[in-house]
Amino acid sequence: MNVRQKLLGGFFAVAAMVAVTGGIVLHADAETTRRAAVTEAEQVARGIAKDVAFGLAVDTPGEEPPPLIDQPIALEAYLQRLHDLQDRDIVVVDTGKRIRADAVPENVGTVFDHDTGNQVGLTIADGRPRVFVEKSVDYPAGIQQVVVPLTGKNDVQLGAIILEYTPLYEQMEAVTGRAERIIVVAGVICIVLVLTLGAVTTESIIRRIRALTRAVESIRDGDYSQRVALGRRDEISRLGDAFNDMAYRLDRSAREILAKEYTDRILANAGEGICGVDARGRITFANDAAGRITGLGVDGLLDLEASTLLPDAHERAEVTLQRPDGSSVRVEYTVSPITKEDRRIGAVVVLRDVTRQRALERDLRHQALHDALTGLPNRKLLLDRLDHAMSRARATGEHAAALYLDLDGFKKVNDSLGHNAGDLLLRTAAERLTAALRPLDTVARLGGDEFAVLLENADQRTAEALAQACVDALSEPFLLHGREAVVSVSVGVVPGAQLYGDADEVMRNADVAMYAAKARGKACFQVFETRMHEQLLDRLDSESRLRDAVHQGQLRVDLQPVVEVGTRRTRGVEALVRWADPERGLQQPGSFIPLAEETGLITEVDRWMLNEACAVVRRWQETAPATAPEWVSVNLSAANLEVPDLTDRVAYALASTGLPPRCLVLELTETVLMRDLAVTAGRLQELRELGVQIAIDDFGTGYSSLGYLRDIPVDVLKVDRSFITGLAGNERQQQLVSAVLQLGHTLGLKVVAEGVETEEQLDLLAAMGCRYAQGYHLGVPEPAATLISKDAVTVG
């Protein structure tokens, strides 16, 4: 038997003793539970016997209750109640074992014969309680019963009480079951711990012995690096310490022998080139990497003068070496001197090939300063070159100029032909611009469809000529994936760039000039003038104040009457916005609506107008219903058709003000309606489903196609004022207006003539059958309060 078996055997013996002890404890606990259940059942049965023999307790002092045994019905109810409450069977028998009462009524009157040992009879005879197991066909597993004597007054034997205590026993077993489980679990844990401790202790001892054995075997095989760490301070540990000391002495001797060979292999396999140089400057050692980097090989480096290879004898430097095969390599090297007793005896040179690293750095620098799509310089490089060019021009007296270019119509090409075609157009445009300019000029892409050009040694005349060359170069059609596309370019020119403070100021002014070129009609160039910057500042100021006006209550609504021609009564009104500018006074729409459209503020202005117009007209209808208009017309700009929640905005305005939807007319021009017929028709249909009406404003000035009157859901035509002006005396124009009126009436549309300025025009319209008209002759735009007061006077 080996050491492991002996140790494990001892621990198994201890585990067996723990198991036996646990079994004895469980058995004793089970027996205690059984006895406790019998005692408890016996006490309960005696209490029931007392109630049956002497009657139930009463509340009145001195009252004697009748025995339950003399009251069959009360006795049966008493037993039934106990059965319901405690879920146990109770049987009352007389001295002849005849059943006087039972939870099962059909058993009453029969002889109780389920105690095979006649335990009931013995208890009646000697008055001692007993227990037995009742077995029957219905209960083959048996029912545990306790029987106690039923003794009346004067110790007269009346029979016995038989009580089932199986539920009580099971309850107590359930209560003690947890303790038994704890005992079992504790016993199992103790056994497992004993066995685990035995296994761990055994394994620890065996492991230390095996470690020492393996170490001895390794020393035998020539491996002197083996050591054993046995821990503790016992006999085995002291044996291990002796072994470690022996192994250390052997290992130190072996290392001294292998040191040189090991060092040589490290140098030979190093990734960087390593050369050893003696005191005379000759290379006495070189590894394979040094031979590969220089292209000379190890043999070619040995005995070579180090200064021939590395002419700059610095501690750290970078040079380009020419290899024998004609290639070149960029090498970074360091020189570390070797000294002995403060005397230099040589040096170590470490070579590193940095060719790919430097090429990558150049690529990164190029990417940081050039546009990825066109390869042109980007904004950062352009500004840097412009700064230097301005400095040189100031120093030499030469001239420098800058161009700012923006493609006209690029977005249309990009949206219609796709981004790939747009990218191709930008690359082609870059090539054309480069070809149209001089070699010394710098063409840069600033982003999107914007380019810039730095013109060095160029006066204003030269700059204008080159700007026109750029316009001409981009005016030719572009062939994009088999399709022709036409774009143009708007160019801003800033001559005399050296006169400005910095490059940013030059580019800002060139940008301003470019926008001036676009304002002139595009496809041209514009030289920067100081007034352009002032106009830009004024525009920015106006934009800022207009933005504040929307949110600070500076806008107001004027209403222009729409009159029924036959009765001259106001039937509707058109809401027109005015700006009460604190600095410039009351502004008409023409002075600020174009700015609102360009800056995107128009949607906020229109939202305010919609809510305010609905609120004003609704208040008019509530305060003066007799003179109130039947509808209010509100103009919508083109930008509103692109607002996703336009329908929700209109619904909110109606709901928040209480204006009925039939009283709201939304006016859009023909040009706006025809931008995207399919999208426009769907959006207008959503609005009409709210109950509002749609009007075509300025009818006759746009497309004037009968087809879109069929496809677009509209309710009102507003004939443009240009058809009404000069109506008198122009028979052809009268026929045209009459035809428009008849067309509208035939289509079931409400037709309104705009711009009525004279009574003669109004008479002619009445003769043509025009029902509604508006114009300064019928009423100028005024605040609602003014119109209400006028109408009140008229009605009065």
Side-chain angles (χ1 to χ4, degrees), residues 339-668:
T339 61
K340 182 177 182 181
E341 298 177 354
D342 297 331
R343 182 172 57 89
R344 181 166 178 166
I345 62 173
V348 175
V349 180
V350 179
L351 309 172
R352 187 162 67 94
D353 184 354
V354 294
T355 306
R356 295 183 60 185
Q357 179 180 339
R358 297 296 178 260
L360 179 60
E361 290 173 355
R362 286 194 299 273
D363 290 343
L364 292 176
R365 284 196 298 271
H366 184 273
Q367 293 174 15
L369 298 174
H370 291 77
D371 174 54
L373 178 64
T374 62
L376 296 177
N378 59 14
R379 179 185 295 270
K380 183 178 180 180
L381 181 56
L382 174 72
L383 292 176
D384 181 70
R385 291 185 179 180
L386 180 55
D387 270 329
H388 285 84
M390 293 167 63
S391 298
R392 286 194 299 272
R394 295 189 193 106
T396 60
E398 296 178 349
H399 298 274
L403 308 181
Y404 200 110
L405 303 89
D406 185 87
L407 300 184
D408 307 317
F410 173 75
K411 185 177 185 301
K412 180 176 65 177
V413 174
N414 210 34
D415 293 343
S416 59
L417 300 182
H419 293 288
N420 289 336
D423 291 346
L424 178 58
L425 189 151
L426 291 173
R427 288 194 295 268
T428 306
E431 293 171 358
R432 290 188 184 182
L433 290 174
T434 303
L437 296 167
R438 302 170 303 173
L440 72 158
D441 299 329
T442 298
V443 182
R445 182 188 176 208
L446 304 182
D449 58 348
E450 295 181 339
F451 296 84
V453 180
L454 166 61
L455 304 176
E456 298 192 56
N457 193 20
D459 56 15
Q460 180 169 343
R461 182 176 180 180
T462 303
E464 292 180 5
L466 292 174
Q468 185 60 50
C470 293
V471 173
D472 297 339
L474 298 184
S475 63
E476 296 295 326
F478 290 79
L479 184 62
L480 308 173
H481 304 310
R483 294 176 179 268
E484 276 195 358
V486 177
V487 298
S488 59
V489 65
S490 298
V491 184
V493 183
V494 176
Q498 71 278 1
L499 302 177
Y500 293 91
D502 55 34
D504 286 328
E505 183 181 3
V506 173
M507 296 310 298
R508 182 195 65 201
N509 293 339
D511 190 14
V512 172
M514 182 271 293
Y515 277 106
K518 282 187 178 291
R520 282 182 53 196
K522 305 178 181 179
C524 63
F525 70 87
Q526 179 68 47
V527 178
F528 174 76
E529 300 175 4
T530 304
R531 62 175 179 81
M532 294 180 183
H533 188 243
E534 295 173 352
Q535 291 171 352
L536 176 63
L537 293 178
D538 183 65
R539 173 188 170 88
L540 293 175
D541 178 63
S542 299
E543 179 183 342
S544 176
R545 289 188 295 105
L546 178 59
R547 191 180 304 276
D548 293 338
V550 176
H551 302 291
Q552 294 180 3
Q554 298 175 9
L555 300 181
R556 85 176 199 194
V557 173
D558 281 359
L559 302 177
Q560 183 176 27
V562 178
V563 175
E564 188 175 32
V565 175
T567 63
R568 302 294 179 93
R569 292 191 59 186
T570 298
R571 293 299 185 186
V573 291
E574 180 178 356
L576 301 171
V577 66
R578 301 290 187 265
W579 177 13
D581 189 348
E583 297 183 10
R584 302 177 183 178
L586 188 64
Q587 300 292 306
Q588 298 298 316
S591 64
F592 64 90
I593 289 299
L595 176 62
E597 290 178 339
E598 292 178 16
T599 58
L601 287 173
I602 189 63
T603 57
E604 293 300 316
V605 174
D606 285 353
R607 183 206 289 261
W608 181 89
M609 272 291 297
L610 179 64
N611 291 323
E612 189 67 14
C614 291
V616 168
V617 173
R618 183 55 183 167
R619 285 196 297 270
W620 189 350
Q621 292 175 345
E622 291 175 344
T623 57
T627 62
E630 298 175 3
W631 75 84
V632 57
S633 297
V634 180
N635 290 283
L636 286 182
S637 65
N640 282 280
L641 291 179
E642 300 177 1
V643 175
D645 62 343
L646 175 61
T647 305
D648 294 336
R649 291 187 180 187
V650 175
Y652 174 78
L654 294 171
S656 61
T657 61
L659 185 72
R662 58 182 171 77
C663 297
L664 177 61
V665 179
L666 299 177
E667 295 188 8
L668 299 100

Side-chain angles (χ1 to χ4, degrees), residues 72-376:
I73 297 177
L75 178 58
E76 181 180 354
Y78 173 72
L79 296 183
Q80 186 63 43
R81 185 167 65 255
L82 290 177
H83 179 271
D84 294 340
L85 293 174
Q86 301 180 6
D87 192 23
R88 62 177 74 188
D89 291 336
I90 303 169
V91 182
V92 180
V93 299
D94 57 15
T95 55
K97 296 177 60 174
R98 187 171 298 279
I99 298 175
R100 295 288 298 274
D102 193 348
V104 182
E106 53 265 25
N107 292 339
V108 177
T110 62
V111 176
F112 187 85
D113 56 357
H114 299 303
D115 55 334
T116 55
N118 193 27
Q119 303 297 321
V120 176
L122 294 175
T123 297
I124 294 173
D126 58 16
R128 293 171 55 193
R130 289 177 171 81
V131 295
F132 65 91
V133 178
E134 175 188 344
K135 291 189 178 180
S136 64
V137 177
D138 295 333
Y139 303 103
I143 302 174
Q144 295 178 345
Q145 304 276 22
V146 62
V147 55
V148 299
L150 180 61
T151 307
K153 295 181 179 180
N154 301 324
D155 296 331
V156 177
Q157 284 290 342
L158 301 178
I161 298 297
I162 305 169
L163 172 67
E164 175 190 355
Y165 72 92
T166 298
L168 179 61
Y169 180 61
E170 292 176 348
Q171 291 175 3
M172 297 185 74
E173 275 192 326
V175 172
T176 59
R178 180 180 179 186
E180 292 176 353
R181 288 193 294 272
I182 292 174
I183 293 172
V184 171
V185 171
V188 172
I189 292 174
C190 287
I191 293 172
V192 171
L193 288 176
V194 169
L195 294 178
T196 302
L197 180 61
V200 171
T201 303
T202 301
E203 184 61 28
S204 175
I205 295 173
I206 298 301
R207 184 176 64 250
R208 296 166 72 201
I209 295 175
R210 286 178 175 173
L212 186 57
T213 303
R214 286 195 298 269
V216 172
E217 292 174 348
S218 297
I219 292 294
R220 182 193 61 190
D221 296 336
D223 183 4
Y224 306 120
S225 63
Q226 291 293 325
R227 300 291 186 273
V228 292
L230 302 179
R232 305 175 189 175
R233 301 311 304 169
D234 54 16
E235 291 78 1
I236 298 178
S237 297
R238 287 196 294 272
L239 180 59
D241 292 341
F243 169 80
N244 289 339
D245 183 63
M246 178 190 67
Y248 170 75
R249 296 172 183 273
L250 292 173
D251 185 47
R252 185 175 60 182
S253 300
R255 285 179 181 276
E256 292 174 354
I257 296 172
L258 298 175
K260 186 178 184 304
E261 179 182 355
Y262 184 71
T263 302
D264 291 344
R265 289 188 179 182
I266 290 177
L267 294 174
N269 291 283
E272 295 179 335
I274 301 174
C275 297
V277 181
D278 61 15
R280 298 178 300 165
R282 289 185 170 275
I283 298 175
T284 58
F285 170 83
N287 65 353
D288 292 341
R292 182 178 64 255
I293 292 173
T294 59
L296 298 172
V298 175
D299 294 337
L301 288 172
L302 294 178
D303 292 331
L304 183 68
E305 290 285 346
S307 59
T308 304
L309 183 65
L310 306 172
D312 297 327
H314 301 294
E315 291 186 358
R316 187 180 189 89
E318 186 174 312
V319 296
T320 299
L321 297 181
Q322 296 295 327
R323 290 171 169 169
D325 60 1
S327 62
S328 62
V329 59
R330 191 69 179 172
V331 176
E332 180 185 69
Y333 67 91
T334 58
V335 179
S336 301
I338 302 174
T339 61
K340 182 177 182 181
E341 298 177 354
D342 297 331
R343 182 172 57 89
R344 181 166 178 166
I345 62 173
V348 175
V349 180
V350 179
L351 309 172
R352 187 162 67 94
D353 184 354
V354 294
T355 306
R356 295 183 60 185
Q357 179 180 339
R358 297 296 178 260
L360 179 60
E361 290 173 355
R362 286 194 299 273
D363 290 343
L364 292 176
R365 284 196 298 271
H366 184 273
Q367 293 174 15
L369 298 174
H370 291 77
D371 174 54
L373 178 64
T374 62
L376 296 177

